[in-house]
Structure formats: C-alpha cells, structure tokens
Amino acid sequence: MTTEPRRAVLGQNQYGKAETRVVRISRNGTTHHLKDLNVSVSLSGDMDDVHLTGSNANVLTTDATKNTVFAFAKEHGIASAEEFGMRLARHFVSSQESIRSARIRVEEYAWDRIGAPDADGARHSFVRAGRETRTAEIHHDGEGWEVVSGLEGLVVLNSTDSEFHGYVKDRYTTLPETRDRVLATEVNARWRYAGTGLDWDASYARAREHLLHAFAATYSYSLQQTLYAMGARVVEHLPEVEEIRLSLPNKHHFLVDLGPFGLKNDNEVYYAADRPYGLIEATVLRDGAEQRIPVHPARP
Ligand SMILES: O=c1[nH]c(=O)c2[nH]c(=O)[nH]c2[nH]1
C-alpha cells in the first residue's frame, strides 16, 4: 500500500483589529450624548500570499482598520451599532480589491443619565446601565456586630467638568495637562455602620444615590478630589455610616489623534483604554471615628 504524501493547505482565514473601544461624545450645547462601542473587524479575501509567500501586498493593516473605526466615528457619528457596522463593512469591501468580505462585531455599552433632567450633572453625567454588585460583610463575636456594606462595578462618566494639571513634572512625566477631560471610573465602595437595626435596603439606596450625586456635581481637578467629595457626602448625609472606603480605577479616555486623516478631534472621539489604569483609593471617615475597613477587601 502506498501512502499519499501529506501536504498542508490553508483553510478559512480572516484578520482584523479586535476590540477597538471607541467612545463618541456629541455636544449639543451643554447637553452631551454618548455612544460607547467595542468594535471588532474581521476581513477575508485574497490572503493566500500573506500566509504562504510572505507578500503583504494585499494586506490592509489591522492598525488601519482600527483607525477607520475612530475616523468614521468622527466623520459620520454613531447613529446605531448596526448603521456604524454596515458603514465599516461596506467601506472595507468596496475600497480594497483584495478584501471580499468583512465581518464587524459590535458590543454597545448603554449609559443612563445621572439624576433628574434638571439635576446637577444631568446634562453631562452618566452611569453605565446594568446594576452594580451589592456587597455586605458581617462580623459577630457573640457580643458586638460589625456590618460593612458596599457596592462594586458602578461605572460612571462625566463628559466635562474635569481638569487635571499642576502636578509634579519629573524627567519621566509626559502626560499633557488638560482643562477639559472625560472623567470615568468604576466605583467600588465599602462603608461601615455604627450600629444595627437599620433599614438596610433604604440605607444602601441612599448611599448609592449620594455617591452618584457627588460624582455628577463635583467640578473635578483630580479623581482624588472627586473621591473625597463622594465619601464625604455619604458620611455627611448618612448618620449611620462611620467610614467609607473607596477604590476608584481611573478609566482613561484618550483623545484620538485624527490629524493624520485630516480630521479635527474637537473632544469628540475617545479611545477607552482598559489597562494600565490609575487606581485612586482612600478612606473617608466621620471625625473621631476609628478607621477599621481593611485596605484590601476580603475575597470570598
Ligand atoms: O485624577 C487624576 N489623578 C492622578 O493622580 C492622575 N495621574 C495621572 O496620570 N492622571 C491622573 N488623574
């Protein structure tokens, strides 16, 4: 019996940039609108050579597909995930002979406005739709009780009223100063109660509301300042709370440089980076209270 020589052949293939995190802010006077997408591009076509011969002549770079996402967000806006995805797909297939098909996957993160329409910040302050995780930790030694409640994953964003400047400049400092930036964070908070016998649900709702209100209403010169304002507002409005500890990742939104494409980015198109991120943490406590919430939360 003769054995056929085994030869490898190229099967289905596709390529593109996955998970471009684009945030488009439209500013209608002082009322801002937000679109927040995660866009993945997969292109297929005449790609035998790039796999088999080392020729890149048919390859539109994945970098260019990412740039196209940002540039289209600026030029055409984002009416809907579907419309935006169709526009991208049509562009890739019709502008490059070597590209025969495009698959665009879009995840859209929904945002709600914070507060009533006339409330502070309602025009430019947002909370990510979908509930945060509520937490509670109870300790009892047969006599005393300690109750620490909290929340994790409450994502908020201010599209203006945030500056950052005046910081130390050492030889490694490159961050440009800014008088108007997007400030976004995921609120992770734990607060310790002075006693028991409370309406826990009502207290939780009040703490959450005051955290959101302080985030929206604070004109911020740093996330540290916003953190303190949020913690202080809870301590000052909830007499049952002795201390609160906040852990706030700075969810950086970098303005995309659209200059190379002949486009001006007037604080409209942002790249939402996921890491690394600044991590701002502090305890805010009632004057005279003991600081007892541990720095690192216990994991279940
Ligand atoms: O609000 C901020 N606080 C910082 O300490 C800091 N550091 C940084 O690079 N960006 C920011 N933003």
Side-chain angles (χ1 to χ4, degrees):
M1 197 172 96
T2 55
T3 47
E4 291 280 314
R6 287 171 193 263
R7 206 163 68 87
V9 292
L10 178 67
Q12 195 281 339
N13 61 89
Q14 56 187 21
Y15 80 107
K17 195 70 96 192
E19 305 208 49
T20 295
R21 290 282 289 102
V22 58
V23 173
R24 173 68 151 91
I25 296 175
S26 312
R27 298 167 197 266
N28 184 3
T30 56
T31 301
H32 299 174
H33 303 270
L34 190 69
K35 280 286 187 182
D36 184 358
L37 305 184
N38 190 23
V39 181
S40 294
V41 173
S42 279
L43 307 176
S44 297
D46 303 336
M47 297 297 155
D48 284 5
D49 282 355
V50 63
H51 292 92
L52 305 177
T53 76
S55 166
N56 294 327
N58 284 347
V59 175
L60 178 71
T61 63
T62 67
D63 192 62
T65 68
K66 172 203 68 183
N67 291 341
T68 309
V69 170
F70 288 128
F72 275 28
K74 159 70 190 183
E75 282 193 287
H76 308 291
I78 299 172
S80 65
E82 290 80 2
E83 188 270 347
F84 192 65
M86 286 171 68
R87 190 185 290 279
L88 285 164
R90 190 182 303 117
H91 167 80
F92 293 125
V93 172
S94 64
S95 66
Q96 298 298 322
E97 213 180 314
S98 60
I99 294 170
R100 309 269 176 217
S101 72
R103 183 179 302 281
I104 314 293
R105 288 204 169 82
V106 184
E107 294 171 351
E108 176 165 5
Y109 307 111
W111 293 82
D112 297 324
R113 291 184 186 279
I114 294 179
D118 56 344
D120 288 336
R123 294 166 182 275
H124 61 254
S125 297
F126 303 87
V127 55
R128 230 193 28 225
R131 288 302 278 207
E132 69 282 359
T133 302
R134 178 173 164 180
T135 65
E137 191 168 334
I138 293 96
H139 183 248
H140 178 49
D141 61 4
E143 286 177 20
W145 292 91
E146 189 160 283
V147 179
V148 175
S149 297
L151 55 78
E152 290 173 5
L154 181 68
V155 181
V156 289
L157 182 150
N158 282 331
S159 52
T160 190
D161 285 3
S162 169
E163 307 188 11
F164 191 61
H165 46 80
Y167 40 79
V168 169
K169 278 116 194 151
D170 74 354
R171 61 184 289 214
Y172 302 113
T173 304
T174 57
L175 185 76
E177 302 204 322
T178 173
R179 308 271 157 177
D180 191 7
R181 68 172 178 174
V182 167
L183 183 68
T185 186
E186 176 192 298
V187 183
N188 299 295
R190 285 167 292 149
W191 53 90
R192 182 171 60 80
Y193 286 103
T196 53
L198 297 167
D199 180 341
W200 303 108
D201 289 351
S203 184
Y204 178 85
R206 275 204 309 279
R208 182 184 188 277
E209 188 188 312
H210 285 296
L211 287 168
L212 288 178
H213 187 282
F215 177 80
T218 301
Y219 191 106
S220 177
Y221 293 92
S222 66
L223 186 51
Q224 288 90 330
Q225 185 201 15
T226 296
L227 180 153
Y228 183 78
M230 294 168 78
R233 192 171 167 107
V234 170
V235 168
E236 284 161 12
H237 285 78
L238 276 74
E240 66 271 28
V241 169
E242 287 284 277
E243 62 170 320
I244 177 167
R245 183 158 182 89
L246 287 154
S247 175
L248 303 183
N250 193 348
K251 293 175 79 71
H252 301 296
H253 285 63
F254 297 115
L255 260 188
V256 180
D257 179 8
L258 300 174
F261 323 126
L263 299 171
K264 191 157 168 266
N265 190 354
D266 199 10
N267 285 354
E268 296 163 288
V269 181
Y270 294 86
Y271 158 55
D274 67 343
R275 61 187 70 172
Y277 51 87
L279 184 58
I280 311 299
E281 304 181 286
T283 298
V284 181
L285 56 165
R286 189 170 302 291
D287 195 10
E290 210 185 314
Q291 198 166 273
R292 291 223 293 265
I293 301 176
V295 168
H296 297 291
R299 291 278 159 228

